[in-house]
Amino acid sequence: IINNCLDTLTLLRWTLNELESRKLLLQQSAVRSIEEYNASHSEKMPYIIFFIDDLADLMRQDHELAGIAQKVIADIAEQTEAVGIHLIICTQVPSAGVITAEIKKHIPFRIGFRVSFCKDSQVILDETGAENLYGAGDMLIKTDVSASLIRGQGVFVRDHEIEKIIKFIPYKKDEQYGLMLQSKLNANVKNNSMPVQYTNININVPRIQISNQ
């Protein structure tokens, strides 16, 4: 967990370097995806999930830092799926200065909850509609496989349920990889702030199938 924007930017740059290293490894192994690589190697390549909450905290930094953050996020989002690195980005500030066109171009799967104005819905989903939602988990979903928005309903998750999920995620068999990765991340943090607290995630998550039915 990182609470410092500069450290987050450092970690984003590390993630981009990790992405390039994984692409090279897949190329050397003559495979096209992490699934193919893991199927043919005893030493598995772990999945990495990167959560950013709130994106506005990064984009509201000075102009130079915001530009770097936007570029790195876009570069990662453009090519992460094949190498097992995934981005989940959240914000409560749905403005064009936060959810920029460059970022949106590389993140086709988006979810919009209830917003105050139709222009906010337009920024998130490229369409109006989220301003008419009821709240309490009511959502609109934009994907790259459907021409129209999909209506969805999220569930309420209590704090103790979240804690159970967090405790379930770490896998002891990947403890050494987690320690190695944490060491690398801490070595790349430029400032003398609190070290990165890293929990390795290595879960085979099935693709979610969403239907209009």
Side-chain angles (χ1 to χ4, degrees):
I1 298 172
I2 304 175
N3 296 316
N4 180 284
C5 288
L6 289 176
D7 291 352
T8 301
L9 188 55
T10 299
L11 182 53
L12 280 169
R13 284 170 163 162
W14 177 90
T15 304
L16 187 57
N17 290 335
E18 175 71 7
L19 185 150
E20 294 299 330
S21 298
R22 289 184 173 209
K23 285 171 59 179
L24 180 60
L25 191 58
L26 294 184
Q27 182 180 2
Q28 293 172 342
S29 302
V31 296
R32 293 181 296 178
S33 69
I34 185 174
E35 289 84 2
E36 293 180 18
Y37 180 89
N38 286 344
S40 58
H41 291 75
S42 58
E43 186 174 342
K44 308 301 182 184
M45 183 184 295
Y47 288 84
I48 296 175
I49 304 177
F50 198 124
F51 292 86
I52 298 178
D53 181 21
D54 188 305
L55 178 62
D57 293 336
L58 278 178
M59 302 304 292
R60 284 173 167 173
Q61 299 297 305
D62 65 66
H63 182 72
E64 182 179 0
L65 283 177
I68 294 172
Q70 173 184 258
K71 176 69 166 59
V72 175
I73 289 172
D75 287 347
I76 294 172
E78 182 181 14
Q79 48 189 341
T80 55
E81 185 174 358
V83 296
I85 300 175
H86 301 274
L87 284 174
I88 298 177
I89 301 176
C90 311
T91 184
Q92 296 186 45
V93 186
S95 68
V98 175
I99 309 174
T100 66
E102 180 68 16
I103 291 176
K104 288 167 61 177
K105 180 171 67 174
H106 300 297
I107 303 181
F109 190 101
R110 300 178 224 142
I111 294 174
F113 295 98
R114 184 175 63 180
V115 295
S116 300
F117 306 103
C118 59
K119 65 178 182 179
D120 297 334
S121 178
Q122 189 76 35
V123 168
I124 302 168
L125 303 168
D126 299 323
E127 297 184 38
T128 59
E131 72 279 4
N132 297 319
L133 295 174
Y134 294 113
D138 195 14
M139 69 179 77
L140 288 174
I141 304 167
K142 179 181 180 66
T143 74
D144 56 354
V145 295
S146 174
S148 59
L149 297 177
I150 301 169
R151 190 80 173 265
Q153 176 63 50
V155 299
F156 178 74
V157 183
R158 294 177 173 82
D159 289 346
H160 76 273
E161 294 172 314
I162 296 174
E163 290 173 1
K164 286 183 178 180
I165 294 171
I166 293 173
K167 291 178 181 178
F168 173 79
I169 287 174
Y171 278 74
K172 291 297 183 181
K173 65 180 181 180
D174 293 311
E175 184 176 358
Q176 291 303 314
Y177 179 85
L179 292 174
M180 178 273 293
L181 184 52
Q182 180 169 341
S183 176
K184 284 186 176 181
L185 297 182
N186 288 335
N188 281 277
V189 173
K190 297 178 180 179
N191 300 325
N192 293 322
S193 55
M194 184 174 293
V196 176
Q197 296 301 311
Y198 175 81
T199 300
N200 184 46
I201 300 174
N202 183 18
I203 304 175
N204 292 321
V205 182
R207 292 186 178 273
I208 299 174
Q209 298 298 322
I210 302 174
S211 172
N212 284 313
Q213 300 300 321

